[in-house]
Amino acid sequence: MTFSTRRIFAILQKDYKDLSRNLFVSTTLIMPLLMAVLFGRMGIEGIASHYLIINLGFILVGAYVQSSLIAEEKEKNTLRGLMLSPASTLEIFCGKSLLSFIATAVVVAGSIWLSGYNPRNLAVIAIALVLSAVFYVGLGTLIGLFTKSVMEASVVIVPVMFIFSSGSFLTPFIDKYPVLAVVEYMPNLQLLELANRVEAGAGLGDVLLHLLVILAWVLVIHAVAAYVYKKRMVDE
Amino acid sequence: MENIIEVTSLQKAFGSSRALKDVTFSVKRGEIFGFLGPSGSGKTTTIKILTAQLRPTSGSAYAFGVSTEQLNSEKYRQKVGIITDNTALYGRLNVYDNLKLYCDLYGVPYQRIAEVLQMVNLAGEEKKPVSKLSKGMLQRVILARAFLHEPELLFLDEPTSALDPVNTKHIHEGLLLLKEKGTTIFLTTHDMNEAEALCDRVAFLNDGEIRLLDSPKKLRQQRGEPTLTVELADGSMVIVPKGPEGADQMFRYMSSNQLVSVQSNHPTLGDIFVEVTGRKLA
Ligand SMILES: Nc1ncnc2c1ncn2[C@@H]1O[C@H](COP(=O)(O)OP(=O)(O)O)[C@@H](O)[C@H]1O
Ligand SMILES: [Mg+2]
């Protein structure tokens, strides 16, 4: 398995040029920022509201833009060219994830600033946000690998947005159906819980468990994506 | 001569339909080897197996002495170039940026871009967006992309099937140039003229089976009728046997200054294909 930064940056650069000419996808980047401006103007308070916007950034940019980038390569038959080149799976994955990751980081940082969220412990929150961004980009890769076109990815993202939206719609039922407690381990809820505790004064050590759970999600989603990709390399 | 590709008793079934029945052939280093067959005969399936995009049902396929099952290595992919019927470029990028990406992927200097564009007669078209290219230009850029890293082995799946004669000629010239530089080319086509113009050897593929394999010249000679068509001064055409029994006749035409032209009666590869398989190529 090779790891060449020349190849990775070449794919990143290609994606950047491609995306900058793709209105359909690039307008998506603005949505979370618009929401943030709106919320900032209204003077919203409370961690939950901030994370509503942050989550929107994760899903629309991290997951959706990434899934479109992958789905389009499949739809237009360009992914095969990358697969058949000497680039390794790792290089292709890194190269194809980098642009979405950077865009997510920029959009989420921008929306945090615009909505006036001021974390009590920026370092811990930054680690949690970076891990979450990597997770959502991996989720996007997986969606892109399963869908055949950008259109299909745009449809699939709707239930995904529902499932991973902040303050899951399922939490109110946990008391009634204990089985739903697993929902609390969802990466979005872990992030929210972590943010709440940081706001209450918790340090890195106190939220380590939450970070580890998010990290586990990161590892699992990328392992699954890599497995699906390898399977897709060979038609049956 | 060394064999670059060795295929033995290759079979591929899709469910109950057998795309390849029992295919055996080898490709020598430096030659242009043609797979000639009508649509659905198994050409693309063979290329996909040889490039590790598809697993064979049984039999073996070796390239560079390594089983294609193990060919998903970066080292192998550096040595081969592949153009299939769904090879595509990035439409929003221009020609240069498309080729630049592949320079980076294959570790080739950017100066090579101008060289390969020259080879496919597209010099100076670097800045053109790929979405604005004609079908013929597009196919030539795809070919240029495959030339970038000067592959030792090039797979081409019907490289000129959508092109007009002028573009086809450019591509053929490019391929012959590449062959001169030592690239081995495995090419599929349903165009007998293409096979005749390019291939050192052709295999006739029909229904997943190779029915005949030889150089186009030998195939035509072996199956040629032993006659000549002679054009005379009065405009008439006469068929003359090639053997001694025709010698007197030829002597008479020549000594009385009646002979305008002589043509040997060889069937085309298309004729032979119909004869062997009972099927037309197109
Ligand atoms: N993925 C597939 N699934 C099912 N059948 C297939 C598949 N690919 C090819 N075939 C069948 O295998 C046969 C050979 O196809 P192919 O190799 O594409 O032919 P060619 O390239 O010579 O036109 C055809 O009958 C085709 O329908
Ligand atoms: Mg085909």
PDB file of all heavy atoms in Angstrom, chain B residues 15-32:
ATOM      1  N   GLY B  15     -24.522 -15.921 -14.242  1.00  0.00           N
ATOM      2  CA  GLY B  15     -25.694 -16.755 -13.974  1.00  0.00           C
ATOM      3  C   GLY B  15     -25.631 -17.975 -14.877  1.00  0.00           C
ATOM      4  O   GLY B  15     -24.631 -18.679 -14.906  1.00  0.00           O
ATOM      5  N   SER B  16     -26.677 -18.169 -15.658  1.00  0.00           N
ATOM      6  CA  SER B  16     -26.687 -19.357 -16.513  1.00  0.00           C
ATOM      7  C   SER B  16     -26.158 -19.040 -17.908  1.00  0.00           C
ATOM      8  O   SER B  16     -25.961 -19.933 -18.720  1.00  0.00           O
ATOM      9  CB  SER B  16     -28.108 -19.912 -16.608  1.00  0.00           C
ATOM     10  OG  SER B  16     -28.938 -18.919 -17.176  1.00  0.00           O
ATOM     11  N   SER B  17     -25.921 -17.749 -18.194  1.00  0.00           N
ATOM     12  CA  SER B  17     -25.432 -17.437 -19.540  1.00  0.00           C
ATOM     13  C   SER B  17     -23.912 -17.443 -19.554  1.00  0.00           C
ATOM     14  O   SER B  17     -23.257 -16.871 -18.681  1.00  0.00           O
ATOM     15  CB  SER B  17     -25.993 -16.096 -20.015  1.00  0.00           C
ATOM     16  OG  SER B  17     -25.075 -15.059 -19.805  1.00  0.00           O
ATOM     17  N   ARG B  18     -23.367 -18.143 -20.532  1.00  0.00           N
ATOM     18  CA  ARG B  18     -21.916 -18.303 -20.583  1.00  0.00           C
ATOM     19  C   ARG B  18     -21.312 -17.310 -21.570  1.00  0.00           C
ATOM     20  O   ARG B  18     -21.431 -17.465 -22.786  1.00  0.00           O
ATOM     21  CB  ARG B  18     -21.579 -19.740 -20.969  1.00  0.00           C
ATOM     22  CG  ARG B  18     -22.041 -20.743 -19.905  1.00  0.00           C
ATOM     23  CD  ARG B  18     -22.004 -22.153 -20.432  1.00  0.00           C
ATOM     24  NE  ARG B  18     -20.641 -22.607 -20.700  1.00  0.00           N
ATOM     25  CZ  ARG B  18     -20.347 -23.569 -21.584  1.00  0.00           C
ATOM     26  NH1 ARG B  18     -21.295 -24.135 -22.278  1.00  0.00           N
ATOM     27  NH2 ARG B  18     -19.093 -23.933 -21.747  1.00  0.00           N
ATOM     28  N   ALA B  19     -20.684 -16.290 -21.033  1.00  0.00           N
ATOM     29  CA  ALA B  19     -20.123 -15.242 -21.877  1.00  0.00           C
ATOM     30  C   ALA B  19     -18.820 -15.706 -22.539  1.00  0.00           C
ATOM     31  O   ALA B  19     -18.548 -15.383 -23.693  1.00  0.00           O
ATOM     32  CB  ALA B  19     -19.878 -13.980 -21.059  1.00  0.00           C
ATOM     33  N   LEU B  20     -18.001 -16.452 -21.784  1.00  0.00           N
ATOM     34  CA  LEU B  20     -16.772 -17.022 -22.355  1.00  0.00           C
ATOM     35  C   LEU B  20     -16.814 -18.523 -22.124  1.00  0.00           C
ATOM     36  O   LEU B  20     -16.997 -18.976 -21.001  1.00  0.00           O
ATOM     37  CB  LEU B  20     -15.525 -16.427 -21.679  1.00  0.00           C
ATOM     38  CG  LEU B  20     -15.262 -14.940 -21.882  1.00  0.00           C
ATOM     39  CD1 LEU B  20     -14.015 -14.514 -21.120  1.00  0.00           C
ATOM     40  CD2 LEU B  20     -15.112 -14.590 -23.356  1.00  0.00           C
ATOM     41  N   LYS B  21     -16.640 -19.291 -23.198  1.00  0.00           N
ATOM     42  CA  LYS B  21     -16.815 -20.743 -23.059  1.00  0.00           C
ATOM     43  C   LYS B  21     -15.510 -21.470 -22.808  1.00  0.00           C
ATOM     44  O   LYS B  21     -15.401 -22.260 -21.880  1.00  0.00           O
ATOM     45  CB  LYS B  21     -17.538 -21.286 -24.279  1.00  0.00           C
ATOM     46  CG  LYS B  21     -19.027 -20.938 -24.189  1.00  0.00           C
ATOM     47  CD  LYS B  21     -19.760 -21.207 -25.468  1.00  0.00           C
ATOM     48  CE  LYS B  21     -21.173 -20.648 -25.376  1.00  0.00           C
ATOM     49  NZ  LYS B  21     -21.759 -20.448 -26.693  1.00  0.00           N
ATOM     50  N   ASP B  22     -14.511 -21.228 -23.620  1.00  0.00           N
ATOM     51  CA  ASP B  22     -13.239 -21.902 -23.402  1.00  0.00           C
ATOM     52  C   ASP B  22     -12.208 -21.168 -24.236  1.00  0.00           C
ATOM     53  O   ASP B  22     -11.915 -21.549 -25.369  1.00  0.00           O
ATOM     54  CB  ASP B  22     -13.341 -23.376 -23.830  1.00  0.00           C
ATOM     55  CG  ASP B  22     -12.065 -24.136 -23.491  1.00  0.00           C
ATOM     56  OD1 ASP B  22     -11.145 -23.526 -22.901  1.00  0.00           O
ATOM     57  OD2 ASP B  22     -12.001 -25.329 -23.811  1.00  0.00           O
ATOM     58  N   VAL B  23     -11.687 -20.113 -23.673  1.00  0.00           N
ATOM     59  CA  VAL B  23     -10.841 -19.220 -24.461  1.00  0.00           C
ATOM     60  C   VAL B  23      -9.375 -19.415 -24.096  1.00  0.00           C
ATOM     61  O   VAL B  23      -9.000 -19.326 -22.937  1.00  0.00           O
ATOM     62  CB  VAL B  23     -11.265 -17.750 -24.246  1.00  0.00           C
ATOM     63  CG1 VAL B  23     -10.257 -16.798 -24.848  1.00  0.00           C
ATOM     64  CG2 VAL B  23     -12.644 -17.517 -24.827  1.00  0.00           C
ATOM     65  N   THR B  24      -8.570 -19.718 -25.100  1.00  0.00           N
ATOM     66  CA  THR B  24      -7.129 -19.905 -24.901  1.00  0.00           C
ATOM     67  C   THR B  24      -6.375 -19.115 -25.964  1.00  0.00           C
ATOM     68  O   THR B  24      -6.664 -19.243 -27.148  1.00  0.00           O
ATOM     69  CB  THR B  24      -6.758 -21.397 -25.018  1.00  0.00           C
ATOM     70  OG1 THR B  24      -7.467 -22.125 -24.023  1.00  0.00           O
ATOM     71  CG2 THR B  24      -5.263 -21.604 -24.827  1.00  0.00           C
ATOM     72  N   PHE B  25      -5.465 -18.276 -25.521  1.00  0.00           N
ATOM     73  CA  PHE B  25      -4.601 -17.560 -26.477  1.00  0.00           C
ATOM     74  C   PHE B  25      -3.442 -16.940 -25.707  1.00  0.00           C
ATOM     75  O   PHE B  25      -3.436 -16.931 -24.474  1.00  0.00           O
ATOM     76  CB  PHE B  25      -5.378 -16.469 -27.224  1.00  0.00           C
ATOM     77  CG  PHE B  25      -5.847 -15.334 -26.342  1.00  0.00           C
ATOM     78  CD1 PHE B  25      -5.059 -14.199 -26.152  1.00  0.00           C
ATOM     79  CD2 PHE B  25      -7.076 -15.409 -25.699  1.00  0.00           C
ATOM     80  CE1 PHE B  25      -5.494 -13.155 -25.336  1.00  0.00           C
ATOM     81  CE2 PHE B  25      -7.513 -14.370 -24.881  1.00  0.00           C
ATOM     82  CZ  PHE B  25      -6.721 -13.245 -24.696  1.00  0.00           C
ATOM     83  N   SER B  26      -2.442 -16.468 -26.441  1.00  0.00           N
ATOM     84  CA  SER B  26      -1.372 -15.717 -25.789  1.00  0.00           C
ATOM     85  C   SER B  26      -0.994 -14.529 -26.658  1.00  0.00           C
ATOM     86  O   SER B  26      -1.214 -14.538 -27.867  1.00  0.00           O
ATOM     87  CB  SER B  26      -0.160 -16.617 -25.551  1.00  0.00           C
ATOM     88  OG  SER B  26       0.249 -17.190 -26.760  1.00  0.00           O
ATOM     89  N   VAL B  27      -0.483 -13.513 -26.014  1.00  0.00           N
ATOM     90  CA  VAL B  27      -0.081 -12.298 -26.716  1.00  0.00           C
ATOM     91  C   VAL B  27       1.415 -12.109 -26.520  1.00  0.00           C
ATOM     92  O   VAL B  27       1.903 -12.156 -25.391  1.00  0.00           O
ATOM     93  CB  VAL B  27      -0.847 -11.073 -26.186  1.00  0.00           C
ATOM     94  CG1 VAL B  27      -0.371  -9.801 -26.868  1.00  0.00           C
ATOM     95  CG2 VAL B  27      -2.343 -11.256 -26.374  1.00  0.00           C
ATOM     96  N   LYS B  28       2.131 -11.915 -27.623  1.00  0.00           N
ATOM     97  CA  LYS B  28       3.590 -11.772 -27.543  1.00  0.00           C
ATOM     98  C   LYS B  28       3.976 -10.331 -27.274  1.00  0.00           C
ATOM     99  O   LYS B  28       3.265  -9.401 -27.670  1.00  0.00           O
ATOM    100  CB  LYS B  28       4.223 -12.214 -28.870  1.00  0.00           C
ATOM    101  CG  LYS B  28       3.952 -13.658 -29.219  1.00  0.00           C
ATOM    102  CD  LYS B  28       4.726 -14.032 -30.480  1.00  0.00           C
ATOM    103  CE  LYS B  28       4.265 -15.366 -31.014  1.00  0.00           C
ATOM    104  NZ  LYS B  28       3.693 -15.277 -32.356  1.00  0.00           N
ATOM    105  N   ARG B  29       5.118 -10.163 -26.643  1.00  0.00           N
ATOM    106  CA  ARG B  29       5.613  -8.817 -26.372  1.00  0.00           C
ATOM    107  C   ARG B  29       5.795  -8.057 -27.681  1.00  0.00           C
ATOM    108  O   ARG B  29       6.364  -8.579 -28.632  1.00  0.00           O
ATOM    109  CB  ARG B  29       6.958  -8.884 -25.627  1.00  0.00           C
ATOM    110  CG  ARG B  29       7.488  -7.503 -25.239  1.00  0.00           C
ATOM    111  CD  ARG B  29       8.793  -7.588 -24.479  1.00  0.00           C
ATOM    112  NE  ARG B  29       8.615  -8.017 -23.097  1.00  0.00           N
ATOM    113  CZ  ARG B  29       8.244  -7.212 -22.099  1.00  0.00           C
ATOM    114  NH1 ARG B  29       8.000  -5.942 -22.337  1.00  0.00           N
ATOM    115  NH2 ARG B  29       8.123  -7.683 -20.890  1.00  0.00           N
ATOM    116  N   GLY B  30       5.270  -6.842 -27.716  1.00  0.00           N
ATOM    117  CA  GLY B  30       5.507  -5.971 -28.853  1.00  0.00           C
ATOM    118  C   GLY B  30       4.494  -6.077 -29.981  1.00  0.00           C
ATOM    119  O   GLY B  30       4.538  -5.294 -30.922  1.00  0.00           O
ATOM    120  N   GLU B  31       3.577  -7.010 -29.897  1.00  0.00           N
ATOM    121  CA  GLU B  31       2.632  -7.135 -31.012  1.00  0.00           C
ATOM    122  C   GLU B  31       1.326  -6.387 -30.725  1.00  0.00           C
ATOM    123  O   GLU B  31       1.033  -6.031 -29.588  1.00  0.00           O
ATOM    124  CB  GLU B  31       2.349  -8.607 -31.336  1.00  0.00           C
ATOM    125  CG  GLU B  31       1.410  -9.326 -30.378  1.00  0.00           C
ATOM    126  CD  GLU B  31       1.074 -10.751 -30.849  1.00  0.00           C
ATOM    127  OE1 GLU B  31       1.201 -11.057 -32.044  1.00  0.00           O
ATOM    128  OE2 GLU B  31       0.675 -11.564 -29.993  1.00  0.00           O
ATOM    129  N   ILE B  32       0.571  -6.160 -31.788  1.00  0.00           N
ATOM    130  CA  ILE B  32      -0.808  -5.691 -31.637  1.00  0.00           C
ATOM    131  C   ILE B  32      -1.692  -6.896 -31.892  1.00  0.00           C
ATOM    132  O   ILE B  32      -1.676  -7.468 -32.979  1.00  0.00           O
ATOM    133  CB  ILE B  32      -1.146  -4.552 -32.618  1.00  0.00           C
ATOM    134  CG1 ILE B  32      -0.211  -3.359 -32.416  1.00  0.00           C
ATOM    135  CG2 ILE B  32      -2.602  -4.117 -32.427  1.00  0.00           C
ATOM    136  CD1 ILE B  32      -0.570  -2.121 -33.246  1.00  0.00           C
TER     137      ILE B  32
END
